[in-house]
Amino acid sequence: MFHSHNAYMHIQDPASQRLTWNKPPKSVLVVKKIQDASLLQPFKELCVFLTEQKNMIVYVESKVLADTAIAGDESFGAVIQKFCTFREDLDDISNRVDFIICLGGDGTLLYASSLFQESVPPVMAFHLGSLGFLTPFKFDTYQSQVTQIIEGNTAIILRSRLRVRVVKKGIIMTNGDSEGSRKSMQYQVLNEVVVDRGPSSYLSNVDLFLDGHLITTVQGDGVIVSTPTGSTAYAVAAGASMIHPNVPAIMITPICPHSLSFRPIVVPAGVELKIMLSRDARNTAWVSFDGRKRQEICHGDSITITTSCFPVPSICFRDPVNDWFESLSQCLHWNVRKKQNYLCSEEEEF
């Protein structure tokens, strides 16, 4: 019989994680949805506030300034002069930014996440787009909210990401000889990895390995491997449970599976999943990462997925639990229904 006085585990309360600065933040990256005219005014206001009132160094992407509505605004010129700019593919700003402010919808936060392949600065996200699952802040009180974050008094939630490695088994011709070469690419994914059948009319057939063991073959339109953050995105539409982002898990959800008994499953964070085309698959498959970098997966290629060491620290509006339930009702109208009428007893009728 197992017996120990100290055998119980102490589970940390998810709401207890706070953002604290070692030294006051000096620089901020402002990520804005491109080609959205409704964001121009908020963007300019925020940048003026950050540079002139808060003396922050503001980083923006070069392509944001390519917009004539920003570059051509003379009254905004003094602020533009102070901007630090960078290019998405070329410049590494990971050590130069203290925190990030996102203006737009959930896609803007997914994009901000993709800019950081290793550690991510804390992200404050304003919902000025159509979906506000990851974006709890309203813009109208931005000054007091931003001030609070700079002062370092706020709850934070660590959203786990997936580290995905794609190994392509290509063939390179050298001096007339063909030799196998392996090309490997890595991605950090906040919502989900989707493997699907692409343009083919056949079902896709992929093998799913967990820590090296073949678990099952997925036959259907495809499979979604998601984080808890991604559970309320594509996965929930395909029939998965919604999982709070503080739960350490990886979710595997088939898309329209051929077998009706294939239910979505949840496995522990930290396991290694591997997806490969089945030997008898009639066609190739396609993979995408948070909806980007879509590419074909052929026989011999592999996709390896595990929990990343680099989560996205998201700044909460109130706290991780309240924010999440708020977003469930706002974005998905979760459990919004008509109440049954009160039934009065027979005695009360007379």
Side-chain angles (χ1 to χ4, degrees):
M1 184 181 140
F2 174 76
H3 181 74
S4 165
H5 293 294
N6 300 328
Y8 65 88
M9 231 165 83
H10 176 68
I11 306 285
Q12 191 187 6
D13 171 14
S16 67
Q17 204 133 31
R18 310 292 299 177
L19 171 65
T20 50
W21 301 110
N22 300 332
K23 51 181 193 289
K26 285 271 174 282
S27 57
V28 57
L29 164 63
V30 178
V31 177
K32 147 191 181 307
K33 191 175 167 189
I34 305 285
Q35 296 160 337
D36 185 338
S38 68
L39 293 178
L40 287 170
Q41 202 44 47
F43 172 74
K44 290 176 183 177
E45 264 188 53
L46 175 68
C47 291
V48 168
F49 173 73
L50 289 168
T51 50
E52 295 181 1
Q53 291 190 41
K54 295 291 167 190
N55 295 320
M56 299 287 286
I57 297 164
V58 176
Y59 280 80
V60 296
E61 282 185 280
S62 310
K63 62 184 176 191
V64 169
L65 297 185
D67 187 336
T68 50
I70 291 172
D73 182 345
E74 287 175 15
S75 62
F76 193 55
V79 175
I80 293 179
Q81 301 279 284
K82 296 182 186 171
F83 279 157
C84 291
T85 59
F86 71 98
R87 286 155 302 173
E88 174 196 354
D89 304 327
L90 300 171
D91 304 316
D92 179 16
I93 54 158
S94 45
N95 299 323
R96 294 192 262 161
V97 169
D98 293 323
F99 72 105
I100 304 170
I101 297 178
C102 285
L103 304 177
D106 288 352
T108 315
L109 188 127
L110 291 171
Y111 175 68
S113 158
S114 76
L115 294 174
F116 296 87
Q117 289 305 296
E118 291 187 356
S119 69
V120 188
V123 185
M124 176 189 203
F126 288 97
H127 62 81
L128 293 150
S130 50
L131 277 172
F133 233 97
L134 309 174
T135 51
F137 287 92
K138 291 190 195 67
F139 194 74
D140 49 11
T141 55
Y142 77 92
Q143 297 195 347
S144 60
Q145 305 281 7
V146 171
T147 301
Q148 237 184 336
I149 277 125
I150 291 173
E151 287 169 3
N153 176 32
T154 180
I156 205 158
I157 182 166
L158 294 177
R159 296 181 177 277
S160 70
R161 293 197 289 182
L162 298 172
R163 190 191 78 205
V164 190
R165 205 168 80 245
V166 179
V167 176
K168 311 283 284 182
K169 187 187 164 204
I171 301 291
I172 290 183
M173 303 298 285
T174 44
N175 312 331
D177 305 327
S178 67
E179 63 174 63
S181 83
R182 296 187 162 270
K183 187 172 153 224
S184 164
M185 291 145 305
Q186 198 160 290
Y187 306 92
Q188 295 282 333
V189 173
L190 179 57
N191 260 356
E192 75 273 292
V193 180
V194 177
V195 178
D196 63 58
R197 60 193 172 117
S200 167
S201 56
Y202 291 119
L203 296 177
S204 70
N205 255 305
V206 297
D207 291 339
L208 185 65
F209 299 85
L210 200 150
D211 286 341
H213 305 284
L214 177 62
I215 298 298
T216 191
T217 297
V218 183
Q219 187 170 298
D221 283 350
V223 63
I224 303 164
V225 178
S226 68
T227 62
T229 293
S231 71
T232 45
Y234 192 177
V236 76
S241 286
M242 296 182 275
I243 296 190
H244 188 277
N246 273 122
V247 179
I250 297 174
M251 306 166 66
I252 302 166
T253 308
I255 308 169
C256 298
H258 188 247
S259 152
L260 295 181
S261 62
F262 191 165
R263 312 299 299 162
I265 56 172
V266 181
V267 296
V271 301
E272 186 178 82
L273 293 173
K274 188 165 158 188
I275 298 174
M276 294 185 80
L277 221 51
S278 302
R279 279 180 62 182
D280 52 0
R282 292 182 176 184
N283 56 303
T284 62
W286 289 74
V287 63
S288 58
F289 315 93
D290 284 342
R292 308 176 76 217
K293 310 276 188 198
R294 188 166 169 79
Q295 53 194 268
E296 194 171 11
I297 295 296
C298 304
H299 284 278
D301 299 348
S302 68
I303 305 163
T304 306
I305 305 168
T306 188
T307 309
S308 165
C309 312
F310 304 108
V312 175
S314 302
I315 296 169
C316 299
F317 177 65
R318 274 176 52 192
D319 63 74
V321 172
N322 185 79
D323 283 16
W324 194 65
F325 281 101
E326 184 68 20
S327 64
L328 285 189
S329 60
Q330 294 295 315
C331 299
L332 296 181
H333 290 196
W334 178 68
N335 208 18
V336 174
R337 69 203 191 290
K338 280 188 73 172
K339 291 255 191 340
Q340 265 188 321
N341 290 333
Y342 167 70
L343 207 59
C344 54
S345 64
E346 289 181 11
E347 293 90 58
E348 286 176 28
E349 285 179 23
F350 301 110

